[in-house]
Each structure stands twice: as structure tokens, then as C-alpha cells.
Amino acid sequence: MKHIAVFGATGTTGLCVVKCALDKGLKVRALVRDPSKLPPEYAGRIAVVKGDVLNIEDVKTTLQGQDAAIVVLGTRNDLGPTTTMSEGLKNIMAVMESMRINILSVCLSLFLFYEMEKVPSVYREVTADHRRMFRALESSDLHWVAVNAAHITDDPPSGYTTRHGERTPGTPACPSMIWPSS
């Protein structure tokens, strides 16, 4: 796997994904609404498609010739009702299936596994869309992984541990998680 498409590349997490991919020697193509939000150090190092994840043609252009996709769609500071992330993911998945690209990583909230009443009210609308995203993944035949981060920082990587069906202290039980190592 050498060529990856990144959706959500200009957000905080997306910029970390792009940096990590480049550091690993991967070729990155990113779909972005506003290319000016990419740091200057990425100029000429990644292929940029200006467009929108809700436009299927933009998604096709982004995925053409890629081996895998990483989805780190977000809402920036808009925490109101949305279906943009889930509808965007559905577009990505449909195009991936039509192009026979089957490796997909999606970043979702850890709140996905909380009872909605226990999710802080400010995050409930975003969590609702993450749940729609997760349901789309579950119904897919793609080889996918959902990364449910408890907290994302820009600290240097320290490794990770994958656990299946286990609880980490302070978190709800869930079927599969990737946990930061301590």
C-alpha cells in the first residue's frame, strides 16, 4: 500500500494523519474544501483535490488510483446537527466499492459507545452523526477499522495497543478499540 486518500486533511487530526503518512513515505491525495488551510510545508508533497465530500465526482477524483482511504471528517467548531460526515462517508464508501478499493480507516468519537444521555450535551449532535457513520461501516463489506480516540493530542507518538472486547479503566465496554499506550 503506497497511495492513500485522506478526507478531512485540513483539520487538527487530518494534519497529523498527513504528516504521519508522509513520514512513512506514503503518497497522499487529499480532498479539501480550502487548499489554503494546508500548511506551506505540504505544498508539492501531496496531491490536492479541491472539492467537497458531498460531491460524488470530487470523491471519485480523490480516490482514483489510491490503495486505501483515511477518513477524519469533522465539523471544526460547529457542534450543531449535521449529516455531512455520515453522508460524506457513504459517498466515500460507495466510490471505494465501485473502484474495488477496500481498505478504510475512519476516526470516530469514543462517545459512540456511551449511552446518549451520558454524552455531554454539547457533543450529542456530532455523536449522533458518528453513530450514523458507524452503522454505515458495519453494513459495509470493506476492510475497515474505526479508531475511537479518547483524546487526540499533538504529542509525539508513543505507540498503541489494540484490544478487543476489553474495558480500559474509565471507559465503557465496546467491541473493539485502539488505545493509546501509557
Side-chain angles (χ1 to χ4, degrees), residues 4-22 28 30 32 37-39 42 70-76 85 105-109 130 147-155:
I4 62 164
V6 178
F7 297 89
T10 60
T12 304
T13 306
L15 291 170
C16 291
V17 166
V18 169
K19 180 185 181 324
C20 184
L22 291 173
V28 176
V32 299
K37 290 184 179 176
L38 284 168
Y42 296 136
I70 298 175
V71 177
V72 285
L73 296 173
T75 61
R76 290 227 184 256
M85 296 179 297
S105 175
V106 181
C107 185
L108 299 171
S109 168
H130 279 187
V147 178
N148 302 92
H151 182 68
I152 298 173
T153 71
D154 57 2
D155 293 338

Side-chain angles (χ1 to χ4, degrees), residues 61-73:
T61 300
T62 306
L63 285 166
Q64 189 65 44
Q66 303 305 294
D67 301 314
I70 298 175
V71 177
V72 285
L73 296 173

